[in-house]
Amino acid sequence: MTSGFNFESPIGFSKHQKRWFLRAFWIALMLVTLKIITPDAPFLSKISALLIAGMALLPAYLWCADRAKGLPIFPIMTLTYLGTHAFPLVSKNPNILKYPESLRFDAALAVVIFMVVGTITWLAFVRREPQGISKIKVFKPNQITPFFLQIIVFSITFDFLQNTGYIWSIIPSSIYTILKTALPSLTNLGLMILGYQLGAKRLIIRDSRLFILLAIILVFQSGVGLYLNVAGVYVVLTSLGWMLGSKKLPWRLLLITFIMISFLNLGKGETRANYWNQGSIQPSQYTTLYITWINNSWQQINTSKDSIGKHKSKPESLDDRSSIIHMLMKAISETGTIREYMQGKTYVIIPQLVTPRIFNSNKIRGSEATNILSIYYGLQTYKDTLSTEISWGLLQEAYANFGRVGCAGLGIFLGSLYGWITRLTMNVPITSYRFLVSLILLMLSLKTELTLGSFLSVLSQSTMLLLVIRSLLMKAITYYPFQRHTPS
């Protein structure tokens, strides 16, 4: 429990923090430019990558320069296009090398069209902060800390049951889908809120120690699944909350996290090959798994040293693994010539995807749109889609359906959605329902391989769970931007 803390205070970034972010932006711009121009890659590929990178970084600049208000949800989404669309163009990715340079430039233009339209649309919503009075829902102060501590405990238990394989005998598949979608968002919000309270020194000693212990266990447990990005997100969100509460940047924690993730990423592939083939991972194997993982990473470092000057096959890089721009190039090269545009074929199934499974026991698979794309472009048969899945993405799907017009349309849709949600969350409390919705959208923005149907399905399922929380655990307040908030 806490005392003397106004949970209804609006949260945001100060001008001082924005200036710090702007300085960090210029450093990031320099590093991104060097990463693109230094590799041995064709000139046109570098130009294409620079075009994508420039547009991916533009929303971040507008936000850092305080020309865009609110949470940087849309800028974070566009930054994912650096790893998925820009950097792979200057790597030795065999999936990209099989396409001519002119086609890589065409793909870059499609990305630029999407981002230009999306940025203009988003900016129309976030240029200014809203004024006036409105009603918002916030968590009841006496329920915040125990609720989110319980959420973190439940998330640890959920991950444990997934890793050990017991979850299928305990939780029905329909409920599992909802929990799999909404629980990460609630956990991320809990880490931010409790980190915020910890940074503001508003947690009693017992709750502070319990939160830190649970956060460490959560990160450790998520690593057992061999997904480094999940553990990284947990640390970043906790650090962000702590920074907002303490007004200080936990740079030591972030630096240590970056070094550890970079190191473990080296041996991730070999470790996954060993453990994913065996299925479940039992608690007795946890220590062995981490020791094996560390040894594999050290072995990769030693192998790299030994192979200097020798001709050895180069392991797949992070840029190669994250790339989905080659799927856009495939769509561009074949659609309108070998195949007709799909004319919305993957969009007409969206109503079926957003309908809860409890209302439709024969609901189609969440990956149905992805499977339709893979079958249509001759990459898989229907039988293949039952066991494997090929990543596409929102932009690739839009081009396959309507070409460059589809890319612009996607920009309008996402720019409006992200802009509208951002405007709703401007200067609202971190414990508000609106902030929780924005955090779910933020988590979705990091999932680069979703189709629109999957995107909206996850969003709708999460929103329904949030509505239950809203009705049970929240109270209404009259909201005056930049003024004191009073209960209604």
Side-chain angles (χ1 to χ4, degrees), residues 365 368 371-372 375 380-388:
R365 290 178 290 174
E368 190 67 22
N371 299 333
I372 290 173
I375 295 171
Q380 289 181 302
T381 64
Y382 180 80
K383 184 178 179 181
D384 294 334
T385 64
L386 298 176
S387 57
T388 59

Side-chain angles (χ1 to χ4, degrees), residues 105-115 328 332 395 399 404 407:
F105 186 75
D106 288 341
L109 287 180
V111 178
V112 169
I113 290 171
F114 158 67
M115 289 196 175
L328 179 59
I332 293 174
L395 186 60
Y399 191 95
R404 291 180 178 176
C407 297

Side-chain angles (χ1 to χ4, degrees), residues 157-175:
T157 306
F158 187 81
D159 286 346
F160 171 80
L161 292 174
Q162 278 199 120
N163 291 331
T164 56
Y166 296 133
I167 196 165
W168 305 111
S169 60
I170 298 175
I171 300 177
S173 59
S174 57
I175 298 177

Side-chain angles (χ1 to χ4, degrees), residues 114 144 363:
F114 158 67
I144 293 176
K363 182 178 177 180

Side-chain angles (χ1 to χ4, degrees), residues 20 239 242 248-257:
W20 185 91
S239 301
W242 190 87
K248 299 177 183 177
L249 178 69
W251 63 268
R252 292 183 182 88
L253 175 61
L254 293 174
L255 179 61
I256 292 172
T257 301

Side-chain angles (χ1 to χ4, degrees), residues 235 251-264:
V235 174
W251 63 268
R252 292 183 182 88
L253 175 61
L254 293 174
L255 179 61
I256 292 172
T257 301
F258 175 78
I259 293 173
M260 290 180 63
I261 288 179
S262 300
F263 172 72
L264 291 175

